[in-house]
Amino acid sequence: MALGFVACTAPEQAFVTDVKCFDAAHPAIIRMHHTQPDTSGELRIFMRTDDRFTEDSLTVRIDSFTPDSLRCTEYHRLVFRRGHRINAIKSIVEIPYRRQVVLKEAGNYYFTLTPTRPVAGIEAVGMLYRAN
Protein backbone atom coordinates (compact mmCIF):
# COMPACT_ATOMS: atom_id res chain seq x y z
CA MET A 1 0.00 0.00 0.00
CA ALA A 2 1.50 3.28 -1.04
CA LEU A 3 1.44 6.05 1.50
CA GLY A 4 0.82 9.53 0.21
CA PHE A 5 1.88 12.59 2.14
CA VAL A 6 0.99 16.20 1.52
CA ALA A 7 1.72 18.93 4.04
CA CYS A 8 2.64 22.56 4.30
CA THR A 9 3.42 25.10 6.98
CA ALA A 10 -0.08 26.60 6.85
CA PRO A 11 -2.52 26.13 9.78
CA GLU A 12 -4.14 23.26 7.83
CA GLN A 13 -2.27 20.13 6.82
CA ALA A 14 -3.56 17.17 4.81
CA PHE A 15 -2.16 13.64 5.09
CA VAL A 16 -3.59 11.11 2.63
CA THR A 17 -3.19 7.57 1.28
CA ASP A 18 -4.63 6.08 -1.90
CA VAL A 19 -6.68 2.90 -1.55
CA LYS A 20 -7.42 0.40 -4.33
CA CYS A 21 -9.82 -1.55 -2.14
CA PHE A 22 -11.19 -0.41 1.23
CA ASP A 23 -12.19 -3.39 3.39
CA ALA A 24 -11.01 -5.28 6.47
CA ALA A 25 -8.11 -6.86 4.57
CA HIS A 26 -7.08 -3.51 3.03
CA PRO A 27 -7.24 -0.73 5.65
CA ALA A 28 -6.08 2.82 5.00
CA ILE A 29 -2.85 3.65 6.85
CA ILE A 30 -2.26 7.38 7.23
CA ARG A 31 1.05 8.80 8.46
CA MET A 32 0.75 12.28 9.93
CA HIS A 33 4.15 13.94 10.39
CA HIS A 34 3.80 16.54 13.11
CA THR A 35 6.61 19.04 13.78
CA GLN A 36 5.19 21.39 16.44
CA PRO A 37 4.96 19.73 19.91
CA ASP A 38 2.34 20.84 22.45
CA THR A 39 -0.06 22.26 19.86
CA SER A 40 -3.80 21.79 19.71
CA GLY A 41 -6.16 21.61 16.78
CA GLU A 42 -8.91 19.69 15.04
CA LEU A 43 -8.71 16.38 13.18
CA ARG A 44 -11.07 15.65 10.29
CA ILE A 45 -11.30 12.52 8.16
CA PHE A 46 -11.68 13.04 4.43
CA MET A 47 -12.26 10.69 1.50
CA ARG A 48 -12.06 11.06 -2.24
CA THR A 49 -14.88 9.04 -3.80
CA ASP A 50 -16.00 8.12 -7.28
CA ASP A 51 -19.43 7.51 -8.82
CA ARG A 52 -19.68 3.98 -7.29
CA PHE A 53 -19.83 5.45 -3.77
CA THR A 54 -23.45 5.45 -2.58
CA GLU A 55 -23.12 5.16 1.21
CA ASP A 56 -24.76 7.51 3.68
CA SER A 57 -22.78 6.16 6.67
CA LEU A 58 -19.94 3.77 7.47
CA THR A 59 -18.43 2.54 10.74
CA VAL A 60 -14.64 2.33 10.83
CA ARG A 61 -12.20 1.07 13.42
CA ILE A 62 -9.49 3.67 14.02
CA ASP A 63 -6.18 2.51 15.47
CA SER A 64 -4.00 5.45 16.54
CA PHE A 65 -0.26 5.22 17.25
CA THR A 66 1.66 8.18 18.68
CA PRO A 67 5.40 8.97 18.57
CA ASP A 68 5.70 8.14 22.28
CA SER A 69 4.31 4.60 21.68
CA LEU A 70 0.76 5.18 22.93
CA ARG A 71 -1.96 3.19 21.18
CA CYS A 72 -5.68 3.66 21.03
CA THR A 73 -8.42 1.73 19.21
CA GLU A 74 -11.95 3.03 18.79
CA TYR A 75 -14.92 2.71 16.49
CA HIS A 76 -16.25 5.80 14.77
CA ARG A 77 -19.40 6.13 12.68
CA LEU A 78 -18.84 8.32 9.63
CA VAL A 79 -21.95 10.09 8.36
CA PHE A 80 -21.60 11.31 4.80
CA ARG A 81 -23.07 14.44 3.38
CA ARG A 82 -22.54 14.81 -0.30
CA GLY A 83 -19.14 16.40 -0.82
CA HIS A 84 -18.13 18.91 -3.42
CA ARG A 85 -17.32 17.47 -6.82
CA ILE A 86 -13.79 17.86 -8.14
CA ASN A 87 -14.92 16.73 -11.58
CA ALA A 88 -17.93 14.99 -13.14
CA ILE A 89 -17.51 11.72 -11.21
CA LYS A 90 -15.19 12.46 -8.25
CA SER A 91 -16.18 13.92 -4.89
CA ILE A 92 -14.46 14.88 -1.62
CA VAL A 93 -16.27 14.18 1.65
CA GLU A 94 -15.00 15.55 4.97
CA ILE A 95 -16.14 14.28 8.38
CA PRO A 96 -15.30 15.76 11.83
CA TYR A 97 -13.26 13.38 13.99
CA ARG A 98 -11.70 15.14 17.03
CA ARG A 99 -11.74 18.72 18.33
CA GLN A 100 -9.20 20.26 20.71
CA VAL A 101 -6.67 17.48 20.06
CA VAL A 102 -3.38 18.20 21.81
CA LEU A 103 -0.40 16.69 20.00
CA LYS A 104 2.23 16.51 22.74
CA GLU A 105 5.10 15.07 20.73
CA ALA A 106 6.72 15.94 17.43
CA GLY A 107 7.06 12.97 15.09
CA ASN A 108 4.92 10.51 13.15
CA TYR A 109 1.37 9.79 14.21
CA TYR A 110 -0.23 6.81 12.45
CA PHE A 111 -3.95 6.27 11.94
CA THR A 112 -5.20 2.96 10.54
CA LEU A 113 -8.82 3.18 9.35
CA THR A 114 -10.51 -0.19 8.80
CA PRO A 115 -14.13 -0.33 7.63
CA THR A 116 -16.40 -2.82 9.40
CA ARG A 117 -17.80 -3.83 6.01
CA PRO A 118 -16.55 -3.55 2.42
CA VAL A 119 -17.39 -0.31 0.66
CA ALA A 120 -17.02 0.53 -3.02
CA GLY A 121 -16.04 3.82 -4.55
CA ILE A 122 -13.44 5.16 -2.09
CA GLU A 123 -10.19 6.08 -3.83
CA ALA A 124 -8.27 7.87 -1.05
CA VAL A 125 -8.55 8.33 2.71
CA GLY A 126 -6.87 11.05 4.72
CA MET A 127 -6.67 13.22 7.82
CA LEU A 128 -6.84 16.99 7.95
CA TYR A 129 -5.18 18.72 10.88
CA ARG A 130 -6.21 22.32 11.53
CA ALA A 131 -4.18 24.10 14.18
CA ASN A 132 -6.02 26.40 16.58
Side-chain angles (χ1 to χ4, degrees):
M1 180 180 306
L3 285 177
F5 170 72
V6 178
C8 61
T9 57
E12 180 174 276
Q13 296 178 323
F15 306 88
V16 65
T17 185
D18 291 329
V19 293
K20 292 183 181 180
C21 180
F22 192 47
D23 59 23
H26 303 93
I29 301 170
I30 302 157
R31 179 180 66 124
M32 187 175 100
H33 183 71
H34 184 66
T35 58
Q36 301 293 323
D38 288 323
T39 57
S40 67
E42 177 183 10
L43 286 173
R44 297 174 73 81
I45 298 168
F46 70 93
M47 297 180 180
R48 185 180 69 231
T49 63
D50 63 24
D51 61 343
R52 297 176 300 137
F53 183 75
T54 59
E55 307 295 326
D56 60 358
S57 68
L58 176 67
T59 301
V60 294
R61 186 183 77 213
I62 302 173
D63 297 299
S64 304
F65 305 92
T66 66
D68 56 353
S69 300
L70 295 176
R71 294 179 176 215
C72 175
T73 299
E74 64 182 324
Y75 287 87
H76 193 72
R77 183 169 178 250
L78 308 177
V79 177
F80 301 105
R81 296 187 190 114
R82 290 295 154 206
H84 67 277
R85 295 241 175 242
I86 55 177
N87 66 32
I89 58 173
K90 307 254 187 245
S91 180
I92 300 286
V93 292
E94 192 176 310
I95 305 107
Y97 175 50
R98 291 279 179 245
R99 293 184 184 151
Q100 298 300 317
V101 173
V102 177
L103 301 176
K104 297 295 259 179
E105 303 286 330
N108 292 320
Y109 289 77
Y110 289 91
F111 299 92
T112 302
L113 279 72
T114 308
T116 57
R117 61 182 166 79
V119 61
I122 296 177
E123 296 179 342
V125 178
M127 284 278 184
L128 286 176
Y129 176 72
R130 292 185 181 132
N132 290 336

